[in-house]
Amino acid sequence: MVKHVSLPLTAEDVKSLKAGDEVLLSGVLYTARDAAHQRLCKLIDEGRELPFDIKGALIYYVGPTPAQPGRPVGSAGPTTSSRMDGFAPKLIACGLRGMLGKGGRSQEVIEAMKQYGCVYFAAIGGAGALMAKAVKSAEIIAWEDLGCEALRRMEVENLQAYVAIDAEGNSLYR
Amino acid sequence: MSMRIIPREVIVEKVADLCFKAAVDLPDDVYRAIKRAGEREESPIGKSILVNLVKNADIARQERVPICQDTGVAVYFVEIGTSVDMSQWDIYEVLEEATTLGYTRGYLRLSVARDPLEDRSNSKTNGPPVVHLKLVPGDKLKITLAPKGGGSENMSALAMLKPLAGKEGVINFVIDTVRKAGGNPCPPCIIGLGLGGNFEMAPFLAKKALLREVGERHPNPYYAQFETEILEKVNASGIGPGGLGGSTTALDVHIETYPCHIASLPAAVNLNCHAARHASIEI
């Protein structure tokens, strides 16, 4: 059975999602990769405001292709999540409730997910054309200099994903 | 003997088109292999992913959008006939110009950093590409482009095995590499295995092996059987599509070999994601 999940996530959403659930995500999410994560953590360390409200937010690890004319975004599948492992616990401690990417996560990330309540969703790696169909709008909200790696606000409707690691630490990866 | 002149702009235009075609049209052999795997996969999530990958390839082909947002580093395998007049242009410059034109015109992602360490800023041209040249008899220019994503390239590995490690040592190395890779290289993968040569040649053999059609076996029955044996063992690992569990971890295993030093058994595994893109032209 497919679960419909609205973004941003509530604490109840996080609790109800279990590893193995197939989900369709709808609502607003934010996109960031390596460099944007480094900058987000630097802002937190300096006690400064983030470019978006991180409480309940979901970050999608993606660097889309440029949008063809008349489209909100180009191809938009996930990148390897483990590159963000060093930064994720700090963001989770600040209220991040969802992450969307591909591949396994470190034990440190899983511990933070359990402690603060956060879910890790796996998107379908390499299915960028399919996932772009679910993107209704995309706008750069910070760090345009990073090109495809800029921080974006994305509105999605029925974005296909799977709960890969739940907030109790259950994982589909072996 | 007269040399054949191929105008520079002809190569640039054709190769730029090739960049776009490779990004949006999944090769038929790969498409069929994913579809077949989806019919056989028993894990519900694994099946769901494989079915969605077929859908993804259909959308990319019909709507002319990239199969994957990581349109990769452009890797060219070039065969230049010795009767082609090579004083007309510098093939490296021509391919770099064509790559930039193809990637910018086609709205493909620019994914090359200027420098590995000192300056990681985007080159904004997707250049320079990686070029492998081979001289062959004749007056033709054959160019194969295999754009390569970072996710699968990052999980590839080289081992200098002991000769007596034999088949078992090779299998253990491949399985270990696939296990460590998990869901990162976007399984189901195509596994290129380069055996022999030396330290720099084994990875080249592994990359070259990725160009072979899915389902096509090595011409030597010994290696053909070995490919099948490794494929079965990899698929018994349970890693599955996306690393989320299942019996489809690889679509195929391709081996390329070369003689080597009596003291060496170089083995290189180059993983390719299921979006195993490549396209060729002959001019």
Side-chain angles (χ1 to χ4, degrees), chain B residues 165-181:
Chain B
K167 268 187 161 181
E168 204 190 327
V170 172
I171 287 185
N172 289 343
F173 170 59
V174 176
I175 298 287
D176 191 44
T177 304
V178 171
R179 272 194 194 286
K180 275 188 198 148

Side-chain angles (χ1 to χ4, degrees), chain B residues 10-11 13-16 18 21 141-145 279-283:
Chain B
V10 170
I11 310 174
E13 193 53 42
K14 282 187 188 287
V15 173
L18 197 66
K21 188 180 162 25
L141 179 61
K142 190 183 171 194
I143 299 173
T144 296
L145 165 64
S280 299
I281 41 159
E282 197 177 80
I283 302 174

Side-chain angles (χ1 to χ4, degrees), chain B residues 117-134:
Chain B
L117 217 49
E118 190 184 7
D119 175 10
R120 295 280 319 178
S121 66
N122 198 301
S123 75
K124 307 246 172 79
T125 64
N126 213 54
V130 174
V131 179
H132 301 292
L133 288 187
K134 190 179 171 188

